[in-house]
Amino acid sequence: MPDYPVTLSPQQQAGPFIMQPDGLGHLFALDKMADGPFPEHYEPMESPLADNPMNPQQRHSPVVRLFSSDAAQLGEAADYPCVATTYSITELFRHWTKHALLNAIAQPEQFVEIGTELAEEKGIKAGDSVKVSSRRGYIKAKAVVTRRLQRLMIDGKPVDTVGIPCHWGFEGTTRKGFLANTLTPSVGDANSQTPEYKGFLVKVEKA
């Protein structure tokens, strides 16, 4: 559906993007982004890579929001070799539905997902209790061993991903668990201030 009358002739040169002052579509932000105008790839502040493969001269965003106290809590791949990401699951929504009995029956206990290669390397079987640690703290949960999370070769090195659902902690109808954000870094995106909950470093061990 165009943003201008369909009967308008091309000779009238109407800009179709009425939300822009010049009526044109933009593939970059003229003056609204701290790290603009063009999008750039940066590695997360905690990364298994020593360099940014898209720009070796600039590993991290130069305009990221990072306080000195939070910078002191960032981990290195030598100590925390796995990449973790947090997410929601079908049976629960944020921290709300853990108070609902039917949701708690469907998903009663906190878990983390790890790949088969990492599980074999650490001697972890499905249902074992595992400890996942970052520079900032740790959580304990049951292990779900899955082929869904495959070991990746990144810059010639094997890197495992750990999946951490974010629903547990505090009181609820579900069994008590740990706050996933105990692990996550307090690094804010330069524009949205959204924290880097989707990419940070951890280590996994059998609890």
Side-chain angles (χ1 to χ4, degrees), residues 124-147:
I124 296 168
K125 293 182 171 57
D128 284 348
S129 292
V130 294
K131 181 180 179 181
V132 182
S133 308
S134 73
R135 180 80 189 276
R136 294 156 293 279
Y138 70 88
I139 67 171
K140 291 180 180 179
K142 290 295 175 72
V144 171
V145 179
T146 175
R147 284 180 288 189

Side-chain angles (χ1 to χ4, degrees), residues 25-189:
H26 295 174
L27 298 179
F28 57 93
L30 293 174
D31 59 356
K32 299 296 186 288
M33 299 181 72
D35 55 356
F38 290 100
E40 174 76 60
H41 169 76
Y42 300 111
E43 286 297 300
M45 291 303 292
E46 290 188 341
S47 171
L49 300 183
D51 295 309
N52 178 354
M54 303 295 288
N55 182 357
Q57 283 74 44
Q58 188 65 49
R59 183 183 185 198
H60 308 300
S61 170
V63 288
V64 72
R65 190 214 67 205
L66 182 64
F67 298 109
S68 57
S69 58
D70 296 322
Q73 294 298 312
L74 293 176
E76 296 292 337
D79 302 313
Y80 305 95
C82 300
V83 174
T85 187
T86 63
Y87 50 85
S88 297
I89 59 175
T90 303
E91 295 83 1
L92 293 171
F93 180 76
R94 299 295 181 220
H95 290 281
W96 306 351
T97 55
K98 69 181 179 190
H99 299 285
L101 180 60
L102 291 179
N103 294 87
I105 291 170
Q107 188 54 65
E109 190 168 4
Q110 187 171 19
F111 67 91
V112 297
E113 290 189 84
I114 62 174
T116 54
E117 298 97 335
L118 178 62
E120 184 176 355
E121 189 176 279
K122 298 289 184 179
I124 296 168
K125 293 182 171 57
D128 284 348
S129 292
V130 294
K131 181 180 179 181
V132 182
S133 308
S134 73
R135 180 80 189 276
R136 294 156 293 279
Y138 70 88
I139 67 171
K140 291 180 180 179
K142 290 295 175 72
V144 171
V145 179
T146 175
R147 284 180 288 189
R148 200 165 74 91
L149 297 178
Q150 308 231 349
R151 178 170 282 177
L152 304 175
M153 291 301 293
I154 303 176
D155 198 25
K157 296 181 294 186
V159 177
D160 292 290
T161 302
V162 179
I164 305 172
C166 58
H167 308 287
W168 281 269
F170 303 123
E171 297 293 336
T173 306
T174 57
R175 295 174 192 164
K176 286 186 180 180
F178 290 78
L179 286 171
N181 287 340
T182 301
L183 302 172
T184 55
S186 297
V187 177
D189 174 79

